[in-house]
Amino acid sequence: MTAPALTIAEILDLPAVVPLWPTAGRALSLAESTTYQLAAEGRLPVESIRLGRRLVVRTADLHRFLRLIPQENGAVPGVQPGTSAGNDEAAGVQPAASVERIHEPTQ
């Protein structure tokens, strides 16, 4: 069973270094086995660091990957209070324009 993902507020309140699992995995919405597999393959979107037998991740790397780096005034870019970060309609995202395809006659 996968643990629930962390909220933006929980991610912003993390200490400087967090365990790969459950904290970093939950912040990235990954299952435990997927988190460890991606780290072992070097495909995790953030760098994992071995400290003895433990794997940890820098919280700053998580913030950077998730685009949650606080600005100088303390505001989080792209996140408005009371809106859902995962809702495209609330964020004002417009659907992409259709692409016109030109078909060449086959010979």
Side-chain angles (χ1 to χ4, degrees):
M1 182 171 163
T2 303
L6 296 177
T7 65
I8 293 172
E10 290 172 327
I11 294 169
L12 291 173
D13 287 338
L14 293 174
V17 177
V18 295
L20 181 66
W21 181 260
T23 310
R26 287 182 56 208
L28 298 170
S29 297
L30 297 173
E32 181 177 7
S33 59
T34 304
T35 303
Y36 283 113
Q37 181 178 358
L38 291 174
E41 295 172 355
R43 298 183 339 165
L44 199 64
V46 293
E47 180 185 7
S48 59
I49 303 163
R50 182 162 296 282
L51 290 179
R53 296 182 65 195
R54 296 179 56 194
L55 286 172
V56 296
V57 171
R58 289 183 296 256
T59 301
D61 292 345
L62 282 174
H63 289 178
R64 191 173 299 108
F65 175 75
L66 297 171
R67 298 177 190 253
L68 296 176
I69 299 173
Q71 296 175 344
E72 289 180 19
N73 63 2
V76 178
V79 178
Q80 300 295 327
T83 63
S84 170
N87 187 343
D88 288 345
E89 293 174 8
V93 175
Q94 299 296 321
S98 61
V99 177
E100 182 179 330
R101 296 182 187 258
I102 301 173
H103 296 284
E104 305 252 346
T106 57
Q107 295 177 343

